[in-house]
Amino acid sequence: MGLHLYDTRRRRVRPFEPLRPGHVGVYVCGPTVQAAPHVGHIRTALPFDLLRRWLVQSGRSVTFVQNVTDIDDKIIINADRDGTSVWELATRQTRAFDDAYRTLGILPPTIQPRATGHIPEMIALVSALVEGGYAYASGGSVWFRVGAFADYGALSHQRPDAMQPSVEAEPGKADPRDFALWKAARPGEPFWSSPWGDGRPGWHLECSAMAGKYLGPVFDIHGGGLDLVFPHHENERAQTVCAATARPASNAASADSPGPGGGEPSSGEMARYWMHVGLLTTGGTKMSKSLGNSVLVADALDAVRPQVLRYHLLSAHYRSTLEYSAEALAESTAAHDRVETFVRNALDILGGPGEAAALAADEVVSSVAGAQPTVAGARPVPVPGPGGESRLTPRRAWSDFTIAMDDDLAVGRALAALFGAVSQGNQVLSKAHSRELAGWVDVTRRMLNIFGLDPHEQWPTAGAEFRPALDGAMQVVLDLRSAARARRDYAEADAIRSRLAAAGLIVEDTPEGQRWHLA
């Protein structure tokens, strides 16, 4: 069916059709680096990492832009509280976010612009809005005129006449709903020169300027947390669309440099698809710094491995609310460990990833040769099994996974396909050098690769430092068991195997000799 995504603007799932075939431009609102990253930040970032991986898997190139807000009221307040400079605090916390993203396996953005590096672009955007009558200067600040944009409220589905006043209560606003594009300088705060006096940009302004520079005034996907729909994204959309309308065609960003995902401003939109991630809760309440219930990423990683935290935060559909608790983490740990153990054991039995891949290729050739013909792009026809039920095959498991991912990243069904493959693979785990086992581990790893959870390729160091010592110790034990069997002391040989099994180490006797794997 092809990829379908839920568009907040239109309130429905619709077919994804990029502006340029084969390429997707994505802008995701990144962190305001006021303090250390908490788990809620990772919850917001991971679905877009998953989307990006799926787009690439589907044959598309992706320009992924994620900004850093390094000037903001909260940053200024926190720097003053800590007795440090805004620049030192912002730099330190930007590194902390980068480290957290890297630790959780989140791909780095194609472009990571900082707000303070794009002041000229922001001033140019404000100038266009003022000249077009969409903004006005007052007391050294510049305000967006909400009443001048007839489509204001369309993203958040609110009526302008029912909206609350903007929280920015500074004097000089013509309408209580108007929001700041440029804020007049205040004593002791960083500032830049502008046609309206010294000051700094408003929060909403920066994303419009940076998205426009790197993706054009119209691009494919704009993403962020659900709490950004209003006012942040509503205001971004308003000022971007109005600026594109106000600029003469010869000066519009799309006329000369549309950017990798750019389009024409006449479409009346900023992003063709708006995606928003549901909240992360703890105790049923939104996790946030202001509420004092946030869990820092560093603290979370004291309790679970990073790949387990990644699994947990991806395990619910991105638009749903996800609870963060010790009980939920324990369930995710058990689920993740089951998959990881299967992959590692299967690769051990098959002689490593290279041998497994070769055997899997043979299995694919064999299964395709005997498969029923299908229409291109259609779901493979199930093969009847004993009792008339449909028999799951690696090929069908991948088809189920693909259909789920194309349906607005339906991770629940995608994980069902993954665990179905693991279950089938575990049933043939003892068949040494089995092409069937190779087929199951191959499709499992393909699915895990999309989730960023392949234990061999994407998390190769997870316990790897202990493997040489464990291999050596196990070889000594297996030699003792072989010696016991050679002298026909089968009771001792069985006792050794039973004690190993109690420790989670399974020994199997195969035509090629003794093999062992984790339970």
Side-chain angles (χ1 to χ4, degrees):
M1 68 176 188
L3 180 62
H4 287 59
L5 295 173
Y6 183 86
D7 180 8
T8 304
R9 164 75 175 83
R10 292 168 179 80
R11 284 187 171 181
R12 61 183 174 87
V13 175
R14 61 193 190 94
F16 177 68
E17 299 174 356
L19 282 165
R20 288 169 46 197
H23 179 273
V24 182
V26 181
Y27 186 94
V28 174
C29 284
T32 298
V33 288
Q34 70 200 58
H38 60 69
V39 179
H41 294 121
I42 305 300
R43 155 67 167 163
T44 299
L46 276 171
F48 297 107
D49 186 66
L50 179 65
L51 171 66
R52 181 181 181 183
R53 292 171 185 269
W54 186 242
L55 288 169
V56 171
Q57 156 69 31
S58 304
R60 300 177 173 100
S61 63
V62 179
T63 298
F64 192 94
V65 183
Q66 183 181 43
N67 72 298
V68 173
T69 297
D70 57 351
I71 185 66
D72 176 82
D73 289 342
K74 295 176 182 177
I75 296 174
I76 294 170
I77 292 170
N78 288 355
D80 182 65
R81 180 201 63 201
D82 296 346
T84 189
S85 72
V86 167
W87 319 117
E88 192 279 334
L89 175 66
T91 299
R92 172 161 42 89
Q93 299 303 352
T94 298
R95 289 173 179 166
F97 271 90
D98 288 344
D99 288 344
Y101 291 148
R102 184 165 48 249
T103 300
L104 271 297
I106 296 173
L107 298 171
T110 312
I111 306 168
Q112 188 182 46
R114 294 191 181 195
T116 55
H118 296 78
I119 302 297
E121 290 86 353
M122 297 184 207
I123 290 175
L125 194 152
V126 175
S127 296
L129 289 169
V130 171
E131 293 169 8
Y134 295 104
Y136 57 95
S138 176
S141 295
V142 181
W143 303 91
F144 182 85
R145 197 185 304 275
V146 168
F149 182 43
D151 207 32
Y152 191 80
L155 178 60
S156 57
H157 304 282
Q158 300 184 73
R159 298 195 322 274
D161 58 357
M163 292 178 180
Q164 297 296 316
S166 167
V167 296
E168 298 162 317
E170 296 152 16
K173 293 200 294 184
D175 186 322
R177 299 169 302 172
D178 294 350
F179 59 89
L181 298 169
W182 187 261
K183 296 185 175 183
R186 292 184 290 202
E189 293 186 354
F191 65 86
W192 289 263
S193 297
S194 81
W196 316 281
D198 293 341
R200 58 185 174 87
W203 176 40
H204 313 301
L205 178 68
E206 63 181 72
C207 287
S208 289
M210 290 185 283
K213 177 169 183 174
Y214 297 107
L215 296 175
V218 184
F219 52 92
D220 294 306
I221 299 171
H222 195 322
L226 186 64
D227 53 344
L228 296 184
V229 176
F230 186 86
H232 186 48
H233 287 172
E234 190 74 73
N235 292 350
E236 273 189 60
R237 176 176 178 268
Q239 62 201 12
T240 299
V241 173
C242 290
T245 303
R247 287 187 180 115
S250 60
N251 295 328
S254 64
D256 300 315
S257 54
E264 63 288 341
S266 60
S267 69
E269 270 298 344
M270 177 183 185
R272 301 183 71 233
Y273 299 81
W274 293 84
M275 294 180 63
H276 293 94
V277 178
L279 302 178
L280 183 69
T281 61
T282 177
T285 303
K286 173 192 172 185
M287 184 181 290
S288 73
K289 290 189 180 76
S290 61
L291 295 176
N293 65 349
S294 60
V295 177
L296 297 182
V297 174
D299 292 335
L301 293 178
D302 285 338
V304 295
R305 294 183 297 158
Q307 57 268 54
V308 172
L309 181 59
R310 180 183 175 98
Y311 173 89
H312 178 65
L313 296 176
L314 280 174
S315 62
H317 190 272
Y318 75 90
R319 288 192 282 120
S320 66
T321 298
L322 175 64
E323 175 72 7
Y324 183 88
S325 66
E327 295 77 13
L329 281 175
E331 292 177 4
S332 290
T333 298
H336 171 271
D337 288 357
R338 179 188 174 200
V339 178
E340 181 186 51
T341 298
F342 165 68
V343 172
R344 293 195 184 281
N345 288 342
L347 292 181
D348 282 348
I349 288 173
L350 295 169
E355 181 71 13
L359 289 168
D362 289 342
E363 174 69 7
V364 169
V365 170
S366 175
S367 64
V368 169
Q372 302 178 43
T374 61
V375 178
R379 180 171 175 149
V381 177
V383 180
E389 73 275 12
S390 297
R391 182 174 65 87
L392 184 64
T393 65
R395 187 180 180 194
R396 181 183 164 192
W398 178 253
S399 175
D400 290 345
F401 181 86
T402 298
I403 291 169
M405 291 297 293
D406 276 346
D407 186 10
D408 194 35
L409 308 182
V411 295
R413 285 160 39 212
L415 288 174
L418 170 67
F419 281 100
V422 170
S423 179
Q424 293 294 318
N426 276 323
Q427 292 181 30
V428 297
L429 196 62
S430 62
K431 299 179 181 179
H433 292 284
S434 164
R435 289 193 308 180
E436 187 177 0
L437 175 60
W440 287 119
V441 75
D442 176 73
V443 74
T444 297
R445 290 185 63 203
R446 287 177 66 193
M447 296 177 191
L448 288 173
N449 192 274
I450 300 301
F451 280 100
L453 290 170
D454 178 25
H456 178 79
E457 180 179 336
Q458 293 162 327
W459 298 93
T461 61
E465 65 273 24
F466 303 114
R467 191 56 191 248
L470 183 58
D471 283 339
M474 281 299 298
Q475 190 56 55
V476 171
V477 176
L478 293 179
D479 287 345
L480 291 173
R481 183 169 179 266
S482 294
R485 296 178 71 189
R487 61 176 183 268
R488 298 180 180 276
D489 189 351
Y490 298 116
E492 176 66 13
D494 289 344
I496 291 174
R497 180 157 66 174
S498 295
R499 292 171 67 184
L500 289 172
L505 300 162
I506 305 302
V507 176
E508 296 172 343
D509 295 312
T510 76
E512 289 80 13
Q514 297 179 94
R515 292 187 179 276
W516 70 274
H517 60 81
L518 298 174

